[in-house]
Protein backbone atom coordinates (compact mmCIF):
# COMPACT_ATOMS: atom_id res chain seq x y z
CA UNK A 1 0.00 0.00 0.00
CA UNK A 2 1.07 3.59 -0.55
CA UNK A 3 1.43 5.91 2.43
CA UNK A 4 -1.96 7.48 1.67
CA UNK A 5 -3.59 4.06 1.43
CA UNK A 6 -2.06 3.11 4.79
CA UNK A 7 -3.41 6.27 6.39
CA UNK A 8 -6.86 5.77 4.90
CA UNK A 9 -6.92 2.15 6.08
CA UNK A 10 -5.80 3.09 9.59
CA UNK A 11 -8.55 5.71 9.72
CA UNK A 12 -11.04 3.07 8.50
CA UNK A 13 -9.99 0.68 11.28
CA UNK A 14 -10.32 3.42 13.92
CA UNK A 15 -13.85 4.22 12.76
CA UNK A 16 -14.78 0.52 12.67
CA UNK A 17 -13.46 0.08 16.23
CA UNK A 18 -15.50 3.06 17.43
CA UNK A 19 -18.60 1.79 15.62
CA UNK A 20 -18.41 -1.73 17.07
CA UNK A 21 -17.68 -0.35 20.57
CA UNK A 22 -20.81 1.81 20.42
CA UNK A 23 -22.85 -1.14 19.13
CA UNK A 24 -21.65 -3.34 22.00
CA UNK A 25 -22.57 -0.66 24.56
CA UNK A 26 -26.06 -0.13 23.09
CA UNK A 27 -26.60 -3.91 22.83
CA UNK A 28 -25.78 -4.33 26.53
CA UNK A 29 -28.21 -1.53 27.42
CA UNK A 30 -31.00 -3.10 25.38
CA UNK A 31 -30.34 -6.53 26.90
CA UNK A 32 -30.55 -5.07 30.40
CA UNK A 33 -33.91 -3.47 29.60
CA UNK A 34 -35.51 -6.81 28.64
CA UNK A 35 -37.88 -8.38 31.21
CA UNK A 36 -36.81 -11.43 33.17
CA UNK A 37 -33.68 -12.40 35.05
CA UNK A 38 -30.22 -13.16 33.67
CA UNK A 39 -31.02 -11.78 30.23
CA UNK A 40 -27.38 -10.85 29.71
CA UNK A 41 -26.33 -14.47 30.11
CA UNK A 42 -29.22 -15.74 27.97
CA UNK A 43 -28.27 -13.52 25.06
CA UNK A 44 -24.51 -13.71 25.61
CA UNK A 45 -24.00 -15.16 22.11
CA UNK A 46 -24.81 -11.73 20.66
CA UNK A 47 -21.75 -10.32 22.38
CA UNK A 48 -19.33 -13.24 22.50
CA UNK A 49 -20.73 -15.51 19.78
CA UNK A 50 -20.85 -19.27 19.61
CA UNK A 51 -17.57 -20.61 21.04
CA UNK A 52 -16.35 -16.99 21.16
CA UNK A 53 -15.93 -16.89 17.37
CA UNK A 54 -18.59 -14.62 15.87
CA UNK A 55 -19.83 -12.22 18.56
CA UNK A 56 -19.49 -8.46 18.63
CA UNK A 57 -16.70 -8.53 21.21
CA UNK A 58 -14.79 -11.05 19.10
CA UNK A 59 -15.10 -8.75 16.08
CA UNK A 60 -13.85 -5.84 18.18
CA UNK A 61 -10.84 -7.93 19.18
CA UNK A 62 -10.08 -8.72 15.54
CA UNK A 63 -10.21 -5.04 14.61
CA UNK A 64 -7.85 -4.22 17.49
CA UNK A 65 -5.38 -6.88 16.34
CA UNK A 66 -5.50 -5.43 12.83
CA UNK A 67 -4.83 -1.98 14.32
CA UNK A 68 -1.83 -3.39 16.19
CA UNK A 69 -0.47 -4.75 12.92
CA UNK A 70 -1.03 -1.61 10.83
CA UNK A 71 0.15 0.93 13.38
CA UNK A 72 3.69 -0.50 13.34
CA UNK A 73 4.40 1.71 10.32
CA UNK A 74 4.41 4.82 12.54
CA UNK A 75 7.58 5.46 14.55
CA UNK A 76 5.77 7.40 17.27
CA UNK A 77 4.08 4.12 18.17
CA UNK A 78 6.80 1.61 17.40
CA UNK A 79 9.63 3.54 19.07
CA UNK A 80 7.73 5.02 22.01
CA UNK A 81 3.98 4.86 22.63
CA UNK A 82 3.68 1.06 22.52
CA UNK A 83 5.84 0.96 25.67
CA UNK A 84 3.35 3.01 27.71
CA UNK A 85 0.89 0.92 29.75
CA UNK A 86 -2.61 2.27 29.10
CA UNK A 87 -1.84 3.57 25.60
CA UNK A 88 -3.00 0.73 23.37
CA UNK A 89 -3.14 0.51 19.60
CA UNK A 90 -6.63 2.06 19.39
CA UNK A 91 -5.77 5.17 21.42
CA UNK A 92 -2.45 5.61 19.62
CA UNK A 93 -4.08 5.16 16.19
CA UNK A 94 -6.61 7.87 16.98
CA UNK A 95 -3.82 10.17 18.17
CA UNK A 96 -1.87 9.51 14.97
CA UNK A 97 -4.88 10.43 12.82
CA UNK A 98 -5.60 13.55 14.88
CA UNK A 99 -1.99 14.72 15.04
CA UNK A 100 -0.78 14.11 11.49
CA UNK A 101 -3.68 14.09 9.05
CA UNK A 102 -6.89 15.71 7.87
CA UNK A 103 -9.34 14.27 5.37
CA UNK A 104 -10.75 16.97 3.10
CA UNK A 105 -13.99 16.13 1.23
CA UNK A 106 -13.67 16.65 -2.52
CA UNK A 107 -16.08 17.01 -5.42
CA UNK A 108 -16.64 13.75 -7.30
CA UNK A 109 -17.00 15.66 -10.58
CA UNK A 110 -13.93 17.94 -10.64
CA UNK A 111 -11.92 17.06 -7.53
CA UNK A 112 -12.25 20.50 -5.96
CA UNK A 113 -12.45 20.89 -2.20
CA UNK A 114 -15.93 20.94 -0.69
CA UNK A 115 -16.76 23.80 1.66
CA UNK A 116 -19.76 24.44 3.85
CA UNK A 117 -22.46 26.58 2.28
CA UNK A 118 -26.20 27.26 2.05
CA UNK A 119 -28.60 25.62 -0.39
CA UNK A 120 -32.17 26.70 -1.02
CA UNK A 121 -34.64 23.82 -1.40
CA UNK A 122 -37.67 23.73 -3.70
CA UNK A 123 -39.81 24.85 -0.79
CA UNK A 124 -37.62 27.90 -0.21
CA UNK A 125 -35.98 26.52 2.92
CA UNK A 126 -32.26 27.18 3.26
CA UNK A 127 -30.20 24.22 4.47
CA UNK A 128 -26.52 23.75 5.24
CA UNK A 129 -24.66 21.64 2.71
CA UNK A 130 -21.28 21.14 1.02
CA UNK A 131 -20.47 23.08 -2.15
CA UNK A 132 -17.49 22.62 -4.47
CA UNK A 133 -15.11 25.56 -4.25
CA UNK A 134 -14.02 24.92 -7.84
CA UNK A 135 -17.13 24.14 -9.92
CA UNK A 136 -19.71 25.45 -7.38
CA UNK A 137 -21.76 22.25 -7.57
CA UNK A 138 -23.61 21.02 -4.50
CA UNK A 139 -22.19 17.74 -3.20
CA UNK A 140 -24.30 14.73 -4.00
CA UNK A 141 -25.76 12.75 -1.14
CA UNK A 142 -23.99 9.59 -0.08
CA UNK A 143 -20.40 8.72 0.73
CA UNK A 144 -17.90 11.47 -0.02
CA UNK A 145 -14.45 11.19 -1.52
CA UNK A 146 -11.61 12.67 0.49
CA UNK A 147 -8.08 13.83 -0.18
CA UNK A 148 -5.36 13.52 2.42
CA UNK A 149 -3.65 16.61 3.82
CA UNK A 150 -1.00 16.88 6.51
CA UNK A 151 -1.31 18.85 9.73
CA UNK A 152 1.37 20.67 11.67
CA UNK A 153 1.19 21.95 15.23
CA UNK A 154 4.21 24.26 15.62
CA UNK A 155 3.55 24.82 19.33
CA UNK A 156 2.28 22.70 22.18
CA UNK A 157 -0.46 25.21 22.92
CA UNK A 158 -1.90 24.75 19.42
CA UNK A 159 -1.93 20.97 19.91
CA UNK A 160 -3.59 21.35 23.31
CA UNK A 161 -6.20 23.68 21.84
CA UNK A 162 -6.98 21.33 18.95
CA UNK A 163 -7.48 18.48 21.45
CA UNK A 164 -9.89 20.61 23.47
CA UNK A 165 -7.53 20.89 26.45
CA UNK A 166 -7.18 24.67 26.40
CA UNK A 167 -8.91 26.83 28.98
CA UNK A 168 -11.05 29.95 28.76
CA UNK A 169 -11.32 31.89 32.03
CA UNK A 170 -9.76 28.94 33.83
CA UNK A 171 -12.05 26.19 32.51
CA UNK A 172 -12.20 24.07 29.37
CA UNK A 173 -14.81 25.49 26.97
CA UNK A 174 -18.00 23.55 26.33
CA UNK A 175 -19.84 23.00 23.09
CA UNK A 176 -22.61 25.49 22.32
CA UNK A 177 -25.72 24.78 20.28
CA UNK A 178 -25.45 26.16 16.75
CA UNK A 179 -21.80 27.13 17.19
CA UNK A 180 -19.02 25.20 15.46
CA UNK A 181 -16.29 24.40 18.00
CA UNK A 182 -12.74 25.41 17.12
CA UNK A 183 -11.44 22.24 18.77
CA UNK A 184 -11.86 18.54 18.04
CA UNK A 185 -14.69 16.91 19.94
CA UNK A 186 -13.14 13.53 19.07
CA UNK A 187 -9.86 14.73 20.54
CA UNK A 188 -11.56 16.00 23.70
CA UNK A 189 -13.29 12.64 24.19
CA UNK A 190 -10.06 10.74 23.53
CA UNK A 191 -8.36 12.81 26.22
CA UNK A 192 -10.93 11.62 28.74
CA UNK A 193 -10.23 8.01 27.73
CA UNK A 194 -6.49 8.56 28.15
CA UNK A 195 -7.03 10.03 31.62
CA UNK A 196 -9.21 7.07 32.59
CA UNK A 197 -6.57 4.63 31.34
CA UNK A 198 -3.85 6.28 33.43
CA UNK A 199 -6.13 6.33 36.46
CA UNK A 200 -6.49 2.53 36.19
CA UNK A 201 -2.73 1.96 36.40
CA UNK A 202 -0.70 1.10 39.49
CA UNK A 203 0.65 3.98 41.55
CA UNK A 204 4.21 3.42 40.27
CA UNK A 205 3.10 4.16 36.70
CA UNK A 206 4.70 7.58 35.98
CA UNK A 207 1.54 9.17 34.58
CA UNK A 208 -0.55 7.76 37.43
CA UNK A 209 2.02 9.17 39.85
CA UNK A 210 1.62 12.60 38.25
CA UNK A 211 -2.15 12.31 38.53
CA UNK A 212 -1.88 11.49 42.24
CA UNK A 213 0.58 14.33 42.83
CA UNK A 214 -1.63 16.84 41.03
CA UNK A 215 -4.64 15.62 42.97
CA UNK A 216 -2.92 16.26 46.31
CA UNK A 217 -1.85 19.71 45.14
CA UNK A 218 -5.37 20.63 44.02
CA UNK A 219 -6.83 19.40 47.31
CA UNK A 220 -4.39 21.64 49.18
CA UNK A 221 -4.83 24.68 46.94
CA UNK A 222 -8.62 24.38 46.63
CA UNK A 223 -10.13 22.83 49.78
CA UNK A 224 -13.54 24.11 48.63
CA UNK A 225 -13.51 21.86 45.57
CA UNK A 226 -15.43 18.57 45.55
CA UNK A 227 -13.56 15.27 45.20
CA UNK A 228 -14.86 14.94 41.65
CA UNK A 229 -13.66 18.42 40.73
CA UNK A 230 -10.22 17.72 42.18
CA UNK A 231 -9.97 14.38 40.40
CA UNK A 232 -11.04 15.78 37.02
CA UNK A 233 -8.64 18.72 37.29
CA UNK A 234 -5.76 16.37 38.10
CA UNK A 235 -6.68 14.09 35.20
CA UNK A 236 -6.79 17.03 32.82
CA UNK A 237 -3.33 18.16 33.89
CA UNK A 238 -2.00 14.63 33.43
CA UNK A 239 -3.53 14.36 29.96
CA UNK A 240 -1.97 17.70 28.97
CA UNK A 241 1.43 16.46 30.11
CA UNK A 242 1.02 13.27 28.07
CA UNK A 243 -0.08 15.30 25.01
CA UNK A 244 3.02 17.46 25.49
CA UNK A 245 5.13 14.32 25.47
CA UNK A 246 3.37 13.05 22.34
CA UNK A 247 4.01 16.39 20.61
CA UNK A 248 7.68 16.36 21.69
CA UNK A 249 8.41 12.79 20.60
CA UNK A 250 6.45 13.03 17.32
CA UNK A 251 8.18 16.24 16.23
CA UNK A 252 11.58 14.93 17.30
CA UNK A 253 11.10 11.85 15.14
CA UNK A 254 10.12 14.08 12.21
CA UNK A 255 13.17 16.29 12.71
CA UNK A 256 11.01 19.33 13.45
CA UNK A 257 11.91 22.02 16.03
CA UNK A 258 10.77 21.34 19.57
CA UNK A 259 10.18 24.26 21.91
CA UNK A 260 9.78 24.10 25.65
CA UNK A 261 6.26 23.98 27.10
CA UNK A 262 4.67 27.33 27.86
CA UNK A 263 5.44 27.20 31.58
CA UNK A 264 9.13 26.66 30.89
CA UNK A 265 9.64 28.96 27.95
CA UNK A 266 7.55 31.91 29.11
CA UNK A 267 7.20 31.60 32.88
CA UNK A 268 10.72 30.56 33.80
CA UNK A 269 9.83 27.21 35.40
CA UNK A 270 12.65 24.68 35.33
CA UNK A 271 10.87 21.49 36.42
CA UNK A 272 9.89 20.45 32.90
CA UNK A 273 8.78 16.81 32.82
CA UNK A 274 10.50 14.96 30.00
CA UNK A 275 8.66 12.19 28.07
CA UNK A 276 8.53 8.92 29.98
CA UNK A 277 9.63 5.68 28.28
CA UNK A 278 11.74 7.71 25.86
CA UNK A 279 15.49 8.14 25.65
CA UNK A 280 15.65 10.02 22.39
CA UNK A 281 16.02 8.95 18.78
CA UNK A 282 19.36 7.22 19.35
CA UNK A 283 18.62 6.02 22.86
CA UNK A 284 17.58 2.63 24.13
CA UNK A 285 13.80 2.51 23.61
Amino acid sequence: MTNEEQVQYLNFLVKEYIGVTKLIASTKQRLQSLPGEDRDAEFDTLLKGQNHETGLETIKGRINRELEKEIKSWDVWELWAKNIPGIGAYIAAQLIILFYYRFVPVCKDCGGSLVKGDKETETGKVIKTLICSKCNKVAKEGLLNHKLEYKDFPTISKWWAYMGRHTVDGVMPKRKAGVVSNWSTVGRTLGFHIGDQFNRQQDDHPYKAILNTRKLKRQKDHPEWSKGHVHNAAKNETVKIFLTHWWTVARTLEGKPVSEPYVGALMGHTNIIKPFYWNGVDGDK
Side-chain angles (χ1 to χ4, degrees), residues 193-229:
H193 292 326
I194 293 170
D196 288 340
Q197 286 296 322
F198 288 155
N199 188 50
R200 294 190 181 106
Q201 305 302 315
Q202 299 296 320
D203 289 342
D204 59 353
H205 187 290
Y207 289 106
K208 176 63 177 291
I210 286 178
L211 195 157
N212 289 337
T213 300
R214 292 297 195 271
K215 190 184 297 185
L216 291 174
K217 186 177 187 306
R218 291 303 179 188
Q219 287 174 336
K220 179 181 178 180
D221 294 343
H222 299 279
E224 75 280 7
W225 284 6
S226 67
K227 290 183 178 180
H229 191 173

Side-chain angles (χ1 to χ4, degrees), residues 79-271:
L79 300 179
W80 177 60
K82 75 174 185 180
N83 301 316
I84 306 174
I87 302 299
Y90 161 67
I91 286 179
Q94 265 207 299
L95 281 167
I96 285 171
I97 296 298
L98 289 165
F99 186 80
Y100 292 111
Y101 312 107
R102 67 169 55 89
F103 302 91
V104 180
V106 296
C107 177
K108 293 183 178 180
D109 293 327
C110 71
S113 299
L114 297 178
V115 296
K116 294 180 180 179
D118 296 330
K119 173 188 176 183
E120 186 174 347
T121 65
E122 295 178 355
T123 61
K125 182 180 179 180
V126 177
I127 60 173
K128 297 292 184 181
T129 188
L130 293 174
I131 301 174
C132 179
S133 59
K134 188 175 180 180
C135 68
N136 208 37
K137 290 182 180 180
V138 175
K140 299 176 182 178
E141 294 184 3
L143 293 176
L144 298 173
N145 293 337
H146 294 80
K147 66 178 179 180
L148 185 67
E149 292 186 351
Y150 295 88
K151 297 177 185 172
D152 182 50
F153 297 96
T155 64
I156 291 170
S157 59
K158 290 184 182 298
W159 172 230
W160 281 346
Y162 179 76
M163 292 293 286
R165 294 286 140 185
H166 59 304
T167 58
V168 178
D169 296 329
V171 297
M172 289 193 299
K174 297 181 180 180
R175 296 179 63 183
K176 297 180 180 179
V179 179
V180 178
S181 302
N182 60 355
W183 40 271
S184 168
T185 54
V186 173
R188 168 78 67 87
T189 300
L190 183 62
F192 291 132
H193 292 326
I194 293 170
D196 288 340
Q197 286 296 322
F198 288 155
N199 188 50
R200 294 190 181 106
Q201 305 302 315
Q202 299 296 320
D203 289 342
D204 59 353
H205 187 290
Y207 289 106
K208 176 63 177 291
I210 286 178
L211 195 157
N212 289 337
T213 300
R214 292 297 195 271
K215 190 184 297 185
L216 291 174
K217 186 177 187 306
R218 291 303 179 188
Q219 287 174 336
K220 179 181 178 180
D221 294 343
H222 299 279
E224 75 280 7
W225 284 6
S226 67
K227 290 183 178 180
H229 191 173
V230 167
H231 182 69
N232 289 334
K235 274 205 306 184
N236 181 49
E237 289 184 72
T238 306
V239 170
K240 289 181 74 172
I241 290 172
F242 169 75
L243 291 177
T244 299
H245 292 171
W246 177 280
W247 181 91
T248 301
V249 173
R251 287 182 65 86
T252 299
L253 289 170
E254 289 187 288
K256 293 181 177 179
V258 177
S259 61
E260 288 186 1
Y262 176 86
V263 292
L266 300 184
M267 298 175 64
H269 293 197
T270 58
N271 57 336

